[in-house]
Coordinates of all heavy atoms in Angstrom, one line a residue:
M1 N 1.7 1.3 42.5 CA 3.1 1.5 42.2 C 3.1 2.3 40.9 O 2.3 2.1 40.0 CB 3.7 0.1 42.0 CG 5.1 0.1 41.8 SD 5.8 -1.6 41.7 CE 6.1 -1.9 43.4
K2 N 4.0 3.2 40.8 CA 4.2 3.9 39.5 C 5.6 4.6 39.5 O 6.3 4.7 40.5 CB 3.1 5.0 39.4 CG 3.2 6.1 40.4 CD 2.1 7.1 40.2 CE 2.2 8.3 41.0 NZ 1.2 9.3 40.7
F3 N 6.0 5.0 38.3 CA 7.2 5.7 38.1 C 7.1 7.1 38.5 O 6.0 7.7 38.4 CB 7.6 5.7 36.6 CG 7.9 4.3 36.0 CD1 7.2 3.9 34.9 CD2 8.9 3.5 36.5 CE1 7.5 2.6 34.4 CE2 9.2 2.3 36.0 CZ 8.5 1.9 34.9
S4 N 8.2 7.8 38.9 CA 8.1 9.2 39.2 C 8.0 10.0 37.9 O 8.3 9.4 36.8 CB 9.4 9.6 39.9 OG 10.5 9.5 39.0
K5 N 7.7 11.2 38.0 CA 7.5 12.1 36.8 C 8.9 12.2 36.0 O 9.0 12.2 34.8 CB 7.1 13.5 37.1 CG 5.6 13.6 37.4 CD 5.1 15.0 37.5 CE 3.6 15.0 37.6 NZ 3.1 16.4 37.5
S6 N 10.0 12.3 36.8 CA 11.3 12.4 36.2 C 11.6 11.1 35.4 O 12.3 11.2 34.4 CB 12.4 12.8 37.2 OG 12.5 11.8 38.1
T7 N 11.2 10.0 36.0 CA 11.5 8.7 35.3 C 10.7 8.6 34.1 O 11.3 8.2 33.0 CB 11.2 7.5 36.3 OG1 12.1 7.6 37.4 CG2 11.5 6.2 35.6
T8 N 9.4 8.9 34.1 CA 8.6 8.8 32.9 C 9.1 9.7 31.8 O 9.1 9.3 30.6 CB 7.1 9.0 33.1 OG1 7.0 10.3 33.7 CG2 6.5 8.0 34.0
S9 N 9.6 10.9 32.1 CA 10.1 11.8 31.1 C 11.4 11.2 30.5 O 11.7 11.5 29.3 CB 10.4 13.2 31.6 OG 11.4 13.2 32.5
K10 N 12.2 10.5 31.2 CA 13.4 9.9 30.7 C 13.1 8.6 29.9 O 13.9 8.2 29.0 CB 14.4 9.6 31.8 CG 15.0 10.9 32.3 CD 15.9 10.7 33.5 CE 16.4 12.1 33.9 NZ 16.9 12.1 35.2
L11 N 12.0 7.9 30.2 CA 11.7 6.6 29.6 C 11.4 6.9 28.1 O 11.8 6.1 27.2 CB 10.5 5.9 30.2 CG 10.8 5.2 31.5 CD1 9.5 4.7 32.1 CD2 11.7 4.0 31.3
G12 N 10.6 7.9 27.8 CA 10.1 8.1 26.4 C 9.4 6.9 26.0 O 8.7 6.2 26.8
F13 N 9.5 6.5 24.7 CA 8.9 5.2 24.3 C 9.8 4.1 24.9 O 11.0 4.2 24.9 CB 9.0 5.1 22.7 CG 8.0 5.9 22.0 CD1 8.4 7.1 21.4 CD2 6.7 5.5 21.9 CE1 7.4 7.9 20.7 CE2 5.7 6.3 21.2 CZ 6.1 7.5 20.6
Y14 N 9.1 3.1 25.5 CA 9.8 2.0 26.1 C 9.1 0.7 25.9 O 7.9 0.6 25.6 CB 10.1 2.3 27.5 CG 8.9 2.3 28.5 CD1 8.6 1.2 29.3 CD2 8.1 3.4 28.6 CE1 7.5 1.2 30.1 CE2 7.1 3.5 29.5 CZ 6.8 2.3 30.3 OH 5.7 2.4 31.1
V15 N 9.9 -0.4 26.0 CA 9.3 -1.7 25.9 C 9.7 -2.4 27.3 O 10.8 -2.3 27.8 CB 10.0 -2.5 24.8 CG1 9.5 -4.0 24.8 CG2 9.6 -1.9 23.4
Y16 N 8.7 -3.1 27.8 CA 8.8 -3.7 29.1 C 8.3 -5.2 29.1 O 7.6 -5.6 28.2 CB 8.0 -2.9 30.2 CG 6.5 -2.9 29.8 CD1 5.6 -3.8 30.3 CD2 6.0 -1.9 29.0 CE1 4.3 -3.8 30.0 CE2 4.7 -1.8 28.6 CZ 3.8 -2.8 29.1 OH 2.5 -2.8 28.8
A17 N 8.7 -5.9 30.1 CA 8.3 -7.3 30.3 C 7.7 -7.6 31.6 O 8.2 -7.0 32.6 CB 9.5 -8.2 30.0
L18 N 6.8 -8.5 31.7 CA 6.3 -9.0 33.0 C 7.0 -10.4 33.1 O 6.9 -11.2 32.2 CB 4.8 -9.2 33.0 CG 4.0 -7.9 32.9 CD1 2.5 -8.2 32.9 CD2 4.3 -6.8 33.9
V19 N 7.6 -10.6 34.3 CA 8.4 -11.7 34.5 C 7.9 -12.5 35.7 O 7.6 -11.9 36.8 CB 9.9 -11.3 34.7 CG1 10.8 -12.5 34.9 CG2 10.4 -10.5 33.5
D20 N 7.9 -13.8 35.6 CA 7.5 -14.7 36.7 C 8.7 -14.8 37.6 O 9.8 -15.2 37.2 CB 7.1 -16.1 36.2 CG 6.6 -17.0 37.2 OD1 7.0 -16.9 38.4 OD2 5.7 -17.8 36.9
P21 N 8.6 -14.3 38.9 CA 9.7 -14.4 39.8 C 10.2 -15.8 40.2 O 11.3 -15.9 40.7 CB 9.2 -13.6 41.0 CG 7.8 -13.8 41.0 CD 7.4 -13.8 39.6
H22 N 9.4 -16.8 39.9 CA 9.7 -18.1 40.3 C 10.7 -18.8 39.4 O 11.5 -19.7 39.8 CB 8.5 -19.0 40.5 CG 7.6 -18.4 41.6 ND1 6.4 -17.8 41.3 CD2 7.7 -18.3 42.9 CE1 5.8 -17.4 42.4 NE2 6.6 -17.7 43.4
N23 N 10.6 -18.4 38.1 CA 11.4 -19.1 37.1 C 12.1 -18.1 36.1 O 12.7 -18.6 35.1 CB 10.6 -20.2 36.3 CG 9.4 -19.6 35.7 OD1 9.3 -18.4 35.5 ND2 8.5 -20.4 35.2
S24 N 11.9 -16.8 36.3 CA 12.5 -15.8 35.5 C 12.0 -15.8 34.1 O 12.6 -15.3 33.1 CB 14.0 -15.8 35.5 OG 14.5 -15.6 36.8
E25 N 10.8 -16.4 33.8 CA 10.2 -16.5 32.5 C 9.4 -15.3 32.2 O 8.6 -14.8 33.0 CB 9.3 -17.7 32.4 CG 8.7 -17.9 31.1 CD 7.8 -19.2 31.1 OE1 8.4 -20.3 31.1 OE2 6.6 -19.0 31.1
I26 N 9.7 -14.7 31.0 CA 8.9 -13.6 30.6 C 7.6 -14.1 30.1 O 7.5 -15.0 29.2 CB 9.6 -12.8 29.4 CG1 10.9 -12.1 30.0 CG2 8.7 -11.8 28.8 CD1 11.7 -11.5 28.9
F27 N 6.5 -13.6 30.6 CA 5.1 -14.0 30.1 C 4.3 -12.9 29.4 O 3.2 -13.2 28.9 CB 4.4 -14.7 31.3 CG 4.0 -13.8 32.4 CD1 2.8 -13.1 32.4 CD2 4.8 -13.6 33.5 CE1 2.4 -12.3 33.5 CE2 4.5 -12.8 34.5 CZ 3.3 -12.1 34.5
Y28 N 4.9 -11.7 29.4 CA 4.2 -10.7 28.6 C 5.2 -9.6 28.3 O 6.0 -9.2 29.1 CB 3.1 -10.1 29.5 CG 2.3 -9.0 28.8 CD1 1.2 -9.3 27.9 CD2 2.6 -7.7 28.9 CE1 0.5 -8.4 27.2 CE2 1.9 -6.7 28.2 CZ 0.9 -7.0 27.4 OH 0.2 -6.1 26.7
V29 N 5.1 -9.1 27.0 CA 5.9 -8.0 26.6 C 5.0 -6.9 26.0 O 4.0 -7.2 25.3 CB 6.9 -8.4 25.5 CG1 7.7 -7.2 25.0 CG2 7.9 -9.5 26.0
G30 N 5.2 -5.7 26.4 CA 4.4 -4.5 26.0 C 5.2 -3.3 25.7 O 6.4 -3.3 25.9
K31 N 4.6 -2.3 25.2 CA 5.2 -1.0 24.9 C 4.4 0.1 25.5 O 3.2 0.0 25.7 CB 5.4 -0.8 23.4 CG 4.0 -0.7 22.7 CD 4.2 -0.2 21.3 CE 2.9 0.1 20.6 NZ 2.1 1.1 21.3
A32 N 5.1 1.2 25.7 CA 4.4 2.4 26.3 C 5.2 3.6 25.9 O 6.3 3.6 25.4 CB 4.3 2.2 27.8
N33 N 4.6 4.8 26.2 CA 5.3 6.1 25.9 C 5.2 7.0 27.1 O 4.1 7.6 27.4 CB 4.6 6.7 24.7 CG 5.2 8.0 24.3 OD1 6.3 8.3 24.8 ND2 4.5 8.8 23.5
A34 N 6.3 7.1 27.9 CA 6.4 8.1 29.0 C 5.2 8.0 29.9 O 4.7 9.0 30.3 CB 6.6 9.5 28.4
N35 N 4.8 6.8 30.3 CA 3.7 6.7 31.3 C 3.9 5.4 32.2 O 5.0 4.8 32.1 CB 2.4 6.6 30.5 CG 2.3 5.5 29.6 OD1 2.9 4.4 29.8 ND2 1.6 5.7 28.5
N36 N 2.9 5.1 32.9 CA 3.0 4.0 33.9 C 2.3 2.7 33.4 O 1.9 1.9 34.1 CB 2.4 4.4 35.2 CG 3.3 5.4 35.9 OD1 4.4 5.0 36.3 ND2 2.8 6.6 36.1
R37 N 2.1 2.6 32.1 CA 1.4 1.5 31.5 C 1.9 0.1 32.0 O 1.2 -0.8 32.2 CB 1.5 1.5 30.0 CG 1.0 0.3 29.3 CD -0.2 0.7 28.4 NE -0.6 -0.5 27.7 CZ -1.6 -1.4 28.1 NH1 -2.2 -1.2 29.2 NH2 -1.9 -2.4 27.3
A38 N 3.2 0.0 32.2 CA 3.8 -1.3 32.7 C 3.1 -1.8 33.9 O 2.9 -3.0 34.1 CB 5.3 -1.2 32.9
F39 N 2.7 -0.9 34.8 CA 2.1 -1.2 36.1 C 0.6 -1.5 35.9 O 0.0 -2.2 36.8 CB 2.3 -0.1 37.1 CG 3.7 0.1 37.4 CD1 4.4 1.2 37.0 CD2 4.4 -0.8 38.2 CE1 5.7 1.4 37.3 CE2 5.8 -0.6 38.5 CZ 6.4 0.5 38.0
S40 N 0.0 -1.0 34.9 CA -1.5 -1.2 34.7 C -1.9 -2.7 34.6 O -3.0 -3.1 34.8 CB -2.0 -0.4 33.5 OG -1.5 -1.0 32.3
H41 N -0.9 -3.5 34.1 CA -1.2 -4.9 33.9 C -1.4 -5.7 35.2 O -2.0 -6.8 35.2 CB -0.1 -5.6 33.1 CG 0.0 -5.1 31.8 ND1 -0.8 -5.4 30.8 CD2 0.9 -4.2 31.3 CE1 -0.5 -4.7 29.7 NE2 0.6 -4.0 29.9
L42 N -1.0 -5.1 36.3 CA -1.1 -5.8 37.6 C -2.6 -5.7 38.1 O -2.9 -6.5 39.0 CB -0.2 -5.1 38.6 CG 1.3 -5.2 38.2 CD1 2.2 -4.6 39.3 CD2 1.7 -6.6 37.9
A43 N -3.4 -4.9 37.5 CA -4.9 -4.9 37.7 C -5.5 -5.9 36.7 O -5.1 -5.9 35.6 CB -5.4 -3.5 37.6
E44 N -6.5 -6.6 37.1 CA -7.2 -7.5 36.2 C -7.7 -6.8 35.0 O -8.3 -5.8 35.1 CB -8.3 -8.3 36.9 CG -8.8 -9.4 36.1 CD -9.2 -10.6 36.9 OE1 -8.7 -10.8 38.0 OE2 -10.0 -11.4 36.4
Q45 N -7.5 -7.4 33.8 CA -8.0 -6.9 32.5 C -8.9 -7.9 31.9 O -8.5 -9.1 31.7 CB -6.8 -6.5 31.7 CG -5.9 -5.5 32.4 CD -5.0 -4.8 31.5 OE1 -4.9 -5.0 30.3 NE2 -4.3 -3.8 32.1
R46 N -10.1 -7.5 31.5 CA -11.1 -8.4 30.9 C -10.6 -9.2 29.7 O -11.0 -10.3 29.5 CB -12.4 -7.7 30.6 CG -13.1 -7.3 31.9 CD -14.5 -6.8 31.6 NE -14.5 -5.8 30.6 CZ -15.7 -5.4 30.1 NH1 -16.8 -5.9 30.4 NH2 -15.7 -4.4 29.2
N47 N -9.9 -8.5 28.8 CA -9.6 -9.2 27.5 C -8.3 -10.0 27.5 O -7.8 -10.3 26.4 CB -9.6 -8.1 26.4 CG -8.5 -7.0 26.7 OD1 -8.0 -6.9 27.8 ND2 -8.2 -6.2 25.7
E48 N -7.7 -10.2 28.7 CA -6.5 -11.0 28.7 C -6.5 -12.0 29.8 O -5.7 -12.0 30.7 CB -5.3 -10.0 28.9 CG -5.2 -9.0 27.8 CD -4.0 -8.2 27.8 OE1 -2.9 -8.8 27.7 OE2 -4.0 -6.9 27.8
P49 N -7.3 -13.1 29.6 CA -7.5 -14.1 30.6 C -6.2 -14.9 31.0 O -5.9 -15.2 32.1 CB -8.6 -15.0 30.1 CG -8.6 -14.7 28.7 CD -8.2 -13.3 28.4
R50 N -5.4 -15.2 30.0 CA -4.2 -16.0 30.2 C -3.2 -15.2 31.1 O -2.6 -15.7 32.0 CB -3.5 -16.4 28.9 CG -4.3 -17.5 28.2 CD -3.6 -18.2 27.1 NE -2.7 -17.3 26.4 CZ -2.0 -17.6 25.4 NH1 -2.0 -18.9 24.9 NH2 -1.2 -16.8 24.8
K51 N -3.0 -13.9 30.8 CA -2.1 -13.1 31.6 C -2.7 -12.9 33.0 O -1.9 -13.1 34.0 CB -1.9 -11.7 30.9 CG -1.0 -10.8 31.7 CD -0.8 -9.5 31.0 CE -2.1 -8.8 31.0 NZ -2.1 -7.4 30.6
N52 N -4.0 -12.7 33.1 CA -4.6 -12.6 34.4 C -4.4 -13.9 35.3 O -4.0 -13.8 36.5 CB -6.1 -12.3 34.3 CG -6.4 -11.0 33.8 OD1 -5.6 -10.0 33.9 ND2 -7.5 -10.8 33.2
Q53 N -4.5 -15.0 34.6 CA -4.3 -16.3 35.3 C -2.9 -16.4 35.8 O -2.7 -16.9 36.9 CB -4.7 -17.5 34.4 CG -4.5 -18.8 35.0 CD -4.9 -19.9 34.1 OE1 -5.3 -19.7 32.9 NE2 -4.7 -21.2 34.5
R54 N -1.9 -16.1 35.0 CA -0.5 -16.2 35.4 C -0.2 -15.3 36.5 O 0.4 -15.7 37.5 CB 0.4 -15.8 34.2 CG 1.8 -16.0 34.4 CD 2.2 -17.5 34.4 NE 3.6 -17.7 34.5 CZ 4.4 -18.0 33.5 NH1 3.9 -18.0 32.2 NH2 5.7 -18.1 33.6
I55 N -0.7 -14.0 36.5 CA -0.5 -13.1 37.6 C -1.2 -13.7 38.9 O -0.6 -13.6 40.0 CB -1.1 -11.7 37.3 CG1 -0.2 -11.1 36.2 CG2 -1.1 -10.8 38.5 CD1 -0.7 -9.8 35.6
N56 N -2.4 -14.2 38.8 CA -3.1 -14.8 39.9 C -2.3 -16.0 40.5 O -2.2 -16.1 41.7 CB -4.5 -15.2 39.6 CG -5.4 -14.0 39.4 OD1 -5.1 -12.9 39.9 ND2 -6.4 -14.2 38.6
E57 N -1.7 -16.8 39.6 CA -0.9 -18.0 40.1 C 0.3 -17.5 40.9 O 0.7 -18.0 41.9 CB -0.5 -18.8 38.9 CG -1.6 -19.6 38.3 CD -1.2 -20.3 37.0 OE1 -0.1 -20.1 36.6 OE2 -2.1 -20.9 36.4
I58 N 1.0 -16.4 40.4 CA 2.1 -15.8 41.0 C 1.7 -15.3 42.4 O 2.4 -15.5 43.4 CB 2.8 -14.7 40.2 CG1 3.4 -15.4 38.9 CG2 3.8 -13.9 40.9 CD1 3.8 -14.4 37.8
R59 N 0.6 -14.6 42.5 CA 0.2 -14.0 43.7 C -0.3 -15.1 44.7 O -0.1 -14.9 45.9 CB -1.0 -13.1 43.5 CG -0.5 -11.8 42.8 CD -1.6 -10.8 42.5 NE -1.0 -9.5 42.1 CZ -1.6 -8.6 41.4 NH1 -2.9 -8.8 41.1 NH2 -1.0 -7.5 41.1
K60 N -0.8 -16.2 44.3 CA -1.2 -17.3 45.2 C 0.1 -17.9 45.8 O 0.0 -18.4 46.9 CB -1.9 -18.4 44.4 CG -3.4 -18.0 44.1 CD -4.1 -19.2 43.4 CE -5.4 -18.7 43.0 NZ -6.1 -19.7 42.1
A61 N 1.2 -17.7 45.2 CA 2.5 -18.2 45.8 C 3.2 -17.1 46.6 O 4.4 -17.1 46.8 CB 3.4 -18.7 44.7
N62 N 2.4 -16.0 47.0 CA 2.9 -14.9 47.8 C 4.0 -14.1 47.1 O 5.0 -13.8 47.8 CB 3.3 -15.4 49.2 CG 2.1 -15.9 49.9 OD1 1.0 -15.3 49.9 ND2 2.2 -17.0 50.6
A63 N 3.9 -13.9 45.8 CA 4.9 -13.1 45.1 C 4.1 -12.1 44.2 O 2.9 -12.1 44.1 CB 5.8 -14.0 44.3
E64 N 4.9 -11.3 43.5 CA 4.4 -10.4 42.5 C 5.2 -10.5 41.2 O 6.4 -10.8 41.3 CB 4.5 -8.9 43.0 CG 3.4 -8.5 44.0 CD 2.0 -8.4 43.4 OE1 1.9 -7.9 42.3 OE2 1.1 -8.9 44.1
P65 N 4.6 -10.3 40.1 CA 5.4 -10.3 38.9 C 6.4 -9.2 38.9 O 6.3 -8.1 39.5 CB 4.3 -9.9 37.8 CG 3.0 -10.3 38.4 CD 3.2 -10.0 39.8
I66 N 7.5 -9.4 38.3 CA 8.6 -8.5 38.2 C 8.4 -7.7 36.9 O 8.1 -8.3 35.8 CB 10.0 -9.2 38.1 CG1 10.2 -9.9 39.4 CG2 11.1 -8.2 37.9 CD1 11.4 -10.9 39.4
I67 N 8.5 -6.4 36.9 CA 8.5 -5.5 35.7 C 9.9 -5.1 35.4 O 10.6 -4.5 36.1 CB 7.6 -4.3 36.0 CG1 6.2 -4.7 36.3 CG2 7.6 -3.4 34.8 CD1 5.2 -3.6 36.8
E68 N 10.3 -5.5 34.2 CA 11.6 -5.2 33.7 C 11.5 -4.3 32.4 O 10.7 -4.6 31.5 CB 12.4 -6.4 33.3 CG 12.8 -7.3 34.4 CD 13.7 -8.4 34.0 OE1 14.3 -8.4 32.9 OE2 14.0 -9.3 34.9
I69 N 12.2 -3.2 32.5 CA 12.3 -2.3 31.3 C 13.3 -2.9 30.4 O 14.5 -3.0 30.7 CB 12.7 -0.9 31.7 CG1 11.7 -0.3 32.7 CG2 12.7 0.0 30.4 CD1 10.3 -0.3 32.3
L70 N 12.9 -3.4 29.2 CA 13.8 -4.0 28.3 C 14.6 -3.0 27.4 O 15.8 -3.2 27.2 CB 13.1 -5.0 27.3 CG 12.3 -6.0 28.0 CD1 11.5 -6.9 27.0 CD2 13.2 -6.9 28.9
R71 N 13.9 -1.9 27.0 CA 14.6 -0.9 26.3 C 13.8 0.4 26.5 O 12.6 0.4 26.6 CB 14.6 -1.2 24.8 CG 16.0 -1.1 24.3 CD 16.2 -1.5 22.9 NE 16.5 -0.2 22.1 CZ 16.4 -0.1 20.9 NH1 16.0 -1.1 20.1 NH2 16.8 1.0 20.3
Y72 N 14.5 1.5 26.6 CA 13.8 2.8 26.7 C 14.5 3.9 25.8 O 15.5 3.6 25.2 CB 13.8 3.2 28.2 CG 15.2 3.6 28.8 CD1 15.6 4.9 28.8 CD2 16.0 2.6 29.2 CE1 16.9 5.2 29.3 CE2 17.3 2.9 29.8 CZ 17.7 4.2 29.8 OH 18.9 4.5 30.3
D73 N 13.8 5.0 25.8 CA 14.3 6.1 25.0 C 14.4 5.7 23.5 O 15.3 6.0 22.8 CB 15.6 6.7 25.4 CG 15.9 8.1 24.9 OD1 14.9 8.8 24.5 OD2 17.1 8.5 24.8
I74 N 13.4 4.9 23.1 CA 13.3 4.5 21.7 C 12.8 5.6 20.8 O 11.9 6.4 21.3 CB 12.3 3.2 21.6 CG1 12.9 2.1 22.5 CG2 12.2 2.8 20.2 CD1 12.0 0.9 22.7
E75 N 13.3 5.7 19.6 CA 13.0 6.9 18.7 C 11.5 7.2 18.5 O 11.1 8.3 18.5 CB 13.6 6.7 17.3 CG 15.1 6.3 17.3 CD 15.3 4.8 17.4 OE1 14.7 4.1 16.6 OE2 16.1 4.4 18.2
N76 N 10.7 6.1 18.2 CA 9.3 6.4 17.9 C 8.5 5.1 18.1 O 9.1 4.1 18.4 CB 9.2 6.8 16.4 CG 9.8 5.9 15.4 OD1 9.6 4.7 15.5 ND2 10.7 6.4 14.6
E77 N 7.2 5.2 17.9 CA 6.3 4.1 18.2 C 6.6 2.9 17.2 O 6.5 1.8 17.6 CB 4.9 4.5 18.0 CG 3.9 3.5 18.5 CD 2.5 4.0 18.6 OE1 2.1 5.0 17.9 OE2 1.7 3.4 19.3
K78 N 6.9 3.2 16.0 CA 7.2 2.1 15.1 C 8.4 1.3 15.5 O 8.4 0.0 15.5 CB 7.4 2.6 13.6 CG 7.5 1.4 12.7 CD 8.3 1.7 11.4 CE 8.5 0.5 10.5 NZ 9.0 -0.7 11.1
A79 N 9.4 2.0 16.0 CA 10.6 1.3 16.5 C 10.2 0.5 17.7 O 10.8 -0.6 18.0 CB 11.7 2.3 16.8
C80 N 9.3 1.0 18.5 CA 8.8 0.2 19.7 C 8.2 -1.1 19.3 O 8.4 -2.1 19.9 CB 7.8 1.0 20.5 SG 8.4 1.9 21.9
Y81 N 7.3 -1.1 18.2 CA 6.7 -2.3 17.7 C 7.8 -3.3 17.3 O 7.7 -4.5 17.6 CB 5.8 -2.0 16.6 CG 4.5 -1.4 17.0 CD1 4.1 -0.1 16.6 CD2 3.5 -2.2 17.7 CE1 2.9 0.4 16.9 CE2 2.3 -1.7 18.0 CZ 2.0 -0.4 17.7 OH 0.7 0.1 18.0
D82 N 8.8 -2.8 16.7 CA 9.9 -3.7 16.2 C 10.6 -4.4 17.4 O 10.9 -5.6 17.4 CB 10.9 -2.9 15.4 CG 10.4 -2.5 14.1 OD1 9.3 -3.0 13.6 OD2 11.0 -1.5 13.5
V83 N 10.9 -3.6 18.5 CA 11.6 -4.1 19.7 C 10.6 -5.1 20.4 O 11.0 -6.2 20.8 CB 12.0 -3.0 20.6 CG1 12.5 -3.5 21.9 CG2 13.0 -2.1 20.0
E84 N 9.4 -4.7 20.5 CA 8.4 -5.6 21.1 C 8.2 -6.9 20.4 O 8.2 -8.0 21.0 CB 7.0 -4.9 21.2 CG 5.9 -5.6 21.9 CD 4.6 -4.9 21.8 OE1 4.3 -4.2 20.8 OE2 3.8 -5.1 22.7
A85 N 8.2 -6.9 19.1 CA 8.1 -8.1 18.3 C 9.3 -9.0 18.5 O 9.2 -10.3 18.4 CB 7.9 -7.8 16.9
T86 N 10.5 -8.4 18.6 CA 11.7 -9.2 18.8 C 11.7 -10.0 20.1 O 12.1 -11.1 20.2 CB 12.9 -8.3 18.7 OG1 12.9 -7.6 17.5 CG2 14.2 -9.0 18.8

């Protein structure tokens, strides 16, 4: 799964969330810049065992995490960090 080229160019700097579809709980917030980083979390990552466990639990229930774009077209990376922290 990935964004189209036209979508990534419009996203610019953006902040996204991974959401559990069973209870609408956000379990991860990240930032990216005009790319498909939001989708990369759906593949197992060695340094993030809690996030991997949560994704695996969602998948065991025959579902997939929801990816929500919280904010996009943010001015710069520092502003992204501010939004991500909030």
Side-chain angles (χ1 to χ4, degrees):
M1 188 177 270
K2 65 181 189 172
F3 296 121
S4 69
K5 281 187 175 193
S6 64
T7 298
T8 57
S9 70
K10 290 179 181 161
L11 282 173
F13 284 103
Y14 68 99
V15 175
Y16 59 92
L18 299 182
V19 180
D20 188 323
H22 300 109
N23 58 14
S24 299
E25 181 179 287
I26 293 174
F27 64 93
Y28 183 84
V29 176
K31 65 168 188 57
N33 180 17
N35 59 31
N36 288 294
R37 172 115 174 94
F39 298 107
S40 69
H41 296 284
L42 301 181
E44 189 144 336
Q45 303 196 355
R46 290 193 304 170
N47 60 344
E48 301 193 54
R50 289 190 326 179
K51 182 178 61 167
N52 291 335
Q53 180 180 357
R54 185 72 175 262
I55 290 170
N56 289 334
E57 289 169 1
I58 292 167
R59 287 179 170 159
K60 282 180 187 174
N62 295 316
E64 282 291 316
I66 297 166
I67 297 172
E68 290 190 12
I69 305 301
L70 302 177
R71 234 178 111 195
Y72 67 96
D73 198 22
I74 301 171
E75 308 88 49
N76 55 49
E77 190 171 21
K78 187 204 177 308
C80 259
Y81 281 115
D82 294 342
V83 172
E84 182 183 30
T86 302

